[in-house]
Amino acid sequence: MTRSSTPKLEITVSRSDKMLSLVETIGSAATTLLTASIVSGCEDTGTPAGVYKAGKWIKDKTNSTHGPTPWSQNPWGNPYGPFFLPLNDAKTGKYTTYGIHGTRGPRAGNFEKPPLPQGLMRFFVGEDEAKFLYCSHGCIRVSNQNISKIFELTTKPKYAGTTISVTIK
């Protein structure tokens, strides 16, 4: 494979359109491998626009505040889903505290937020908890089905150095 035909993979996130696209480019030909609906930050907690480098995938991410038990052990108690992809600063390579990840619940099904209206969910989990089921603290959330597909595609050796672009519009 020549240098001009080396595949490049880019994840593009449009916060305003609430969509994520995974695009492979070989030479001048671009192919969309996946599009997915997203949930991103609430009004004051959105992922900043910019270009990031994909960090090292984390399986079963935990967080003492938001998900102390791995998703594989408690899918409803861990908000990160099966995989978490850190967004690293494109210049320094340092982790930004933002990422792309799955959601609470099973791997099957294609939902990035509960299928019930937010007003109804607050009766089950409380007002604050319900809010963050429909937006995030700043990460980009996709369904567990889609985060598994993104993991599968981006971990292929030919896609080393995946970039992530976040736009707000």
Side-chain angles (χ1 to χ4, degrees):
M1 198 178 269
T2 65
R3 187 140 183 81
S4 62
S5 62
T6 300
K8 177 184 168 193
L9 193 65
E10 181 175 26
I11 299 172
T12 304
V13 175
S14 170
R15 286 186 38 212
S16 58
D17 295 336
K18 298 182 180 168
M19 292 298 294
L20 174 146
S21 298
L22 202 65
V23 178
E24 176 190 61
T25 304
I26 301 176
S28 61
T31 304
T32 300
L33 303 177
L34 175 79
T35 57
S37 296
I38 65 162
V39 168
S40 66
C42 298
E43 292 174 21
D44 56 347
T45 61
T47 307
V51 177
Y52 302 89
K53 283 286 185 190
K56 185 177 177 183
W57 281 95
I58 300 168
K59 183 177 180 182
D60 270 349
K61 176 179 172 58
T62 58
N63 175 296
S64 60
T65 304
H66 302 295
T69 305
W71 177 87
S72 62
Q73 294 174 23
N74 184 0
W76 292 104
N78 185 303
Y80 300 109
F83 300 106
F84 182 94
L85 179 62
L87 300 185
N88 292 348
D89 183 278
K91 292 178 184 168
T92 66
K94 292 186 179 189
Y95 175 52
T96 62
T97 73
Y98 299 106
I100 300 172
H101 61 81
T103 190
R104 297 177 194 275
R107 191 177 299 232
N110 194 14
F111 62 93
E112 68 283 346
K113 60 186 176 189
L116 299 173
Q118 185 174 349
L120 184 58
M121 285 302 293
R122 72 174 171 234
F123 292 111
F124 296 107
V125 297
E127 188 73 39
D128 287 342
E129 183 70 20
K131 173 184 176 181
F132 289 109
L133 294 173
Y134 296 88
C135 62
S136 75
H137 289 97
C139 287
I140 298 155
R141 187 169 64 226
V142 297
S143 70
N144 289 332
Q145 186 174 314
N146 283 325
I147 199 66
S148 296
K149 288 178 188 174
I150 295 167
F151 173 81
E152 180 184 318
L153 289 167
T154 60
T155 56
K156 292 181 179 181
K158 67 180 181 176
Y159 294 135
T162 300
T163 60
I164 302 160
S165 299
V166 177
T167 61
I168 299 172
K169 286 188 187 176

